[in-house]
Amino acid sequence: MSFPSMVSRNTRNTEAERRLTAELLNVCANAAMRANAHFGVGAMRSPLRQLLILHPANPKVLGIFITALANLEEAGPAREWSARAYRVLPGSMEVAAASAQTTLQFADPGDSREIWRKLVNADPLRESYRLGLAQALEEAGAVAEAIEQLRRHLVLNPNTAIAHVLLARGLQHEGARPTGRQAGRRILARARASAPRDQVNRVNIAWHRLREAPDDPLSWEKFGARWGGSPYLEPVNGVVMPSWRGPGDSARKLIIRQELGLGDQVLFAHFLPALERLALTGAMVCAPRLRRLFARSFPNWKIVGDPTELVVGEFDAQIFAGDLGQHLTGSRQSGYLVADRQRVAMNRRRYLNLGFKRLIGFAWRGGNMTTAEERRRAIPLSDFSRLFGNREIGFVCLQHGVAEAERDQLAAFSNVILDASIDPLKDLDDLAAQIASMDLVVTSASANTHFAAALGIRVLALLPSIAHWHWGLPGVVSPWYPTLEPIRQPQPGDWRSVLEEVGRRLTCFMENAPG
């Protein structure tokens, strides 16, 4: 049903149809504000649509619906509804706030910042407006201003948990200074004290701990708080199975349930060899595209793309892969993924036969560029291409979804290889064989980073100033990827400095290359 037709229908609704219970609206609002579909946003889709049919011009309903779409990362619908609502209700602060959040997530943090500024000026005491402005300032690179905004907020509202978390993140990334991190730890302690049972607060705190102390079991224990208590493990083929409780558990055959994105699945897979050392085996559920690669890499495990493929009676317990870190932290190894050796040799032979001495795989962005976070870690191809100057190096494109205009840019370089025979959207085993044939990989933060490091290939990981928890903080060495070398922006948006450092390392790489 289109937005205009819903507005027209609103005039024909009876008073009885219009009556909206405060309880249902509050439930929808609370769910919509959650930051992850694990927390139940998806379940609110149907009742929210029903509310829209009855109240299509109600600014609060529209604001909640747009926020829910944004949190479900439905970029197109969120932006479309935001624009329509803003046209119909241009004076609504609820709609403006939802528009500011959508703009922050899917468009330009700078534009979002200006909308939040107007809202704060109109209602300086509204907590959500001040927090929205602080988050937009940080995303736009104005970290110092964001910190100041959050400090002012906490003077008025000292028990706002999310403000403490955002302030801690700002302090953590203020640089490599220990004082900033120590202050961040104190702020996180206040966040815990201000809302000890809030699920989203606990998850945010866990992410911060994992950035700073990724090899600490307590960090992973707090990561388990994403479930709001005991993790909900769906029945397997209708059978409810117990959760694995760690090395002291009597269960010997496990089902490892996967979660989150491809990069997370690759990272969490490094726990399987540690489980084998405890004489534990079983099955792992993964994305179907990973199935062939994982089956070769972990021959003692049954690898499936769906838990319904398993015979439940063969297993004793199950656990989410992300919860294994509570029990197995410290058990790391390099190169735990194994590519098809014949395909690796074939790829390397084909590429080197084009006349190159060394092969470097590269990618300049990750994701679908639909969110502000994805755009923040993307490097402009026009800047990245400055690395292609050495004609002795064959630069092999690992980027998926290369646009036509990008192909035209790359075609200007005779030493850039685009291999059309490899489609990572179909099967990642071919991509793994391509990456494993490289001497070095240079890539923005993406699944390619995880694949290359897990395959044991040296990786120059080009990171934004505020990076995902996978990559830690400045000075924090990755405990699970020994071959990964992070190169971070010194300031938000400063890719030039990053690429200059990459250029220096490539020069050293070629000078030290054998033969």
Side-chain angles (χ1 to χ4, degrees):
M1 182 178 290
S2 67
F3 187 88
S5 66
M6 291 174 70
V7 172
S8 300
R9 176 176 174 176
N10 186 55
T11 61
R12 301 193 297 271
N13 287 340
T14 66
E15 263 324 294
E17 288 176 316
R18 284 174 166 277
R19 194 169 299 121
L20 194 64
T21 65
E23 180 182 357
L24 180 56
L25 187 58
N26 286 335
V27 167
C28 290
N30 290 334
M33 299 305 167
R34 297 295 187 181
N36 191 299
H38 278 311
F39 302 152
V41 186
M44 293 298 102
R45 190 193 310 264
S46 179
L48 279 170
R49 288 192 181 278
Q50 293 174 11
L51 291 175
L52 274 170
I53 292 172
L54 293 175
H55 300 270
N58 182 308
K60 187 170 185 179
V61 173
L62 282 167
I64 293 170
F65 183 62
I66 293 166
T67 303
L69 289 174
N71 285 335
L72 284 167
E73 297 191 356
E74 296 188 9
R79 296 178 71 173
E80 180 183 357
W81 274 93
S82 178
R84 289 177 174 181
Y86 205 68
R87 285 197 300 269
V88 174
L89 299 166
S92 166
M93 296 178 75
E94 287 90 347
V95 169
S99 177
Q101 186 60 38
T102 303
T103 304
L104 175 63
Q105 188 167 347
F106 301 119
D108 184 353
D111 290 344
S112 173
R113 173 184 58 195
E114 296 314 309
I115 299 173
W116 285 120
R117 281 196 198 280
K118 292 177 182 178
L119 289 168
V120 169
N121 290 336
D123 188 352
L125 297 180
R126 181 75 69 91
E127 178 178 302
S128 59
Y129 296 170
R130 293 197 305 271
L131 292 175
L133 174 58
Q135 189 173 3
L137 285 166
E138 183 187 71
E139 294 285 351
V143 178
E145 189 180 353
I147 289 173
E148 182 58 32
Q149 178 72 25
L150 288 163
R151 290 192 190 280
R152 288 200 298 267
H153 174 88
L154 287 167
V155 169
L156 297 172
N157 301 88
N159 293 321
T160 308
I162 188 62
H164 287 295
V165 171
L166 290 173
L167 179 57
R169 184 169 75 170
L171 291 168
Q172 279 183 328
H173 291 90
E174 214 179 11
R177 295 182 304 158
T179 53
R181 295 195 189 166
Q182 289 166 6
R185 293 188 200 109
R186 290 195 297 271
I187 297 295
L188 285 178
R190 292 175 199 162
R192 285 192 294 273
S194 61
R197 298 191 178 187
D198 183 88
Q199 186 178 358
V200 175
N201 185 44
R202 292 202 304 263
V203 171
N204 281 323
I205 291 171
W207 283 336
H208 287 297
R209 281 196 60 94
L210 283 168
R211 278 191 183 97
E212 188 168 1
D215 213 22
D216 184 349
L218 184 59
S219 300
W220 288 96
E221 182 180 334
K222 291 187 179 299
F223 185 58
R226 67 197 182 284
W227 306 115
S230 298
Y232 172 68
L233 289 161
E234 297 176 352
V236 181
N237 293 334
V239 178
V240 177
M241 297 187 67
S243 297
W244 186 61
R245 300 300 180 185
D249 196 312
S250 61
R252 309 316 298 164
K253 297 201 71 174
L254 310 179
I255 297 175
I256 310 300
R257 302 289 290 268
Q258 277 296 356
E259 53 182 321
L260 306 175
L262 289 173
D264 301 277
Q265 293 184 43
V266 170
L267 188 154
F268 295 150
H270 80 265
F271 289 122
L272 293 191
L275 287 170
E276 290 182 18
R277 287 193 287 273
L278 295 173
L280 297 171
T281 58
M284 168 173 269
V285 184
C286 66
R289 287 187 290 157
L290 288 168
R291 189 170 179 171
R292 277 205 303 166
L293 175 61
F294 277 16
R296 181 187 307 104
S297 304
F298 310 110
N300 297 326
W301 291 78
K302 182 179 180 66
I303 307 297
V304 298
D306 191 297
T308 58
E309 301 175 43
L310 299 173
V311 178
V312 180
E314 297 178 357
F315 304 94
D316 306 317
Q318 61 176 335
I319 186 172
F320 276 108
D323 291 326
L324 289 168
Q326 300 177 44
H327 312 293
L328 302 172
T329 300
S331 302
R332 312 296 189 211
Q333 68 174 44
S334 176
Y336 54 87
L337 291 188
V338 180
D340 184 323
R341 289 184 173 83
Q342 287 187 331
R343 289 191 63 87
V344 171
M346 181 189 71
N347 287 335
R348 188 164 178 82
R349 187 166 53 249
R350 283 194 300 126
Y351 298 149
L352 289 176
N353 283 345
L354 296 174
F356 303 115
K357 289 186 177 180
R358 306 292 274 176
L359 300 175
I360 295 180
F362 72 95
W364 59 93
R365 56 179 167 79
N368 298 312
M369 296 291 284
T370 56
T371 69
E373 189 274 333
E374 289 172 342
R375 282 190 293 276
R376 187 175 67 236
R377 53 189 168 96
I379 305 168
L381 180 56
S382 57
D383 293 339
F384 198 101
S385 60
R386 294 172 187 160
L387 300 174
F388 302 153
N390 191 328
R391 299 301 189 219
E392 293 183 324
I393 301 174
F395 287 91
V396 181
C397 182
L398 307 176
Q399 183 68 56
H400 78 276
V402 180
E404 195 62 37
E406 293 171 327
R407 289 181 181 277
D408 292 341
Q409 282 183 266
L410 295 172
F413 299 93
S414 59
N415 58 335
V416 169
I417 303 168
L418 285 91
D419 191 341
S421 69
I422 295 174
D423 184 0
L425 296 181
K426 291 183 179 178
D427 193 319
L428 290 161
D429 197 37
D430 292 340
L431 175 66
Q434 184 183 39
I435 291 174
S437 67
M438 300 295 107
D439 297 301
L440 173 72
V441 168
V442 180
T443 177
S444 63
S446 66
N448 282 320
T449 319
H450 291 277
F451 281 114
L455 287 161
I457 304 298
R458 182 186 174 194
V459 192
L460 303 185
L462 316 187
L463 307 176
S465 59
I466 299 177
H468 196 276
W469 67 264
H470 295 155
W471 318 121
L473 293 171
V476 175
V477 178
S478 171
W480 36 75
Y481 292 146
T483 61
L484 184 139
E485 301 174 27
I487 305 176
R488 300 173 188 274
Q489 291 177 337
Q491 298 294 331
D494 183 6
W495 287 118
R496 181 178 296 275
S497 298
V498 170
L499 293 170
E500 286 175 353
E501 176 60 25
V502 173
R504 286 190 286 270
R505 297 197 192 189
L506 292 188
T507 299
C508 293
F509 171 74
M510 290 303 292
E511 289 175 350
N512 297 323

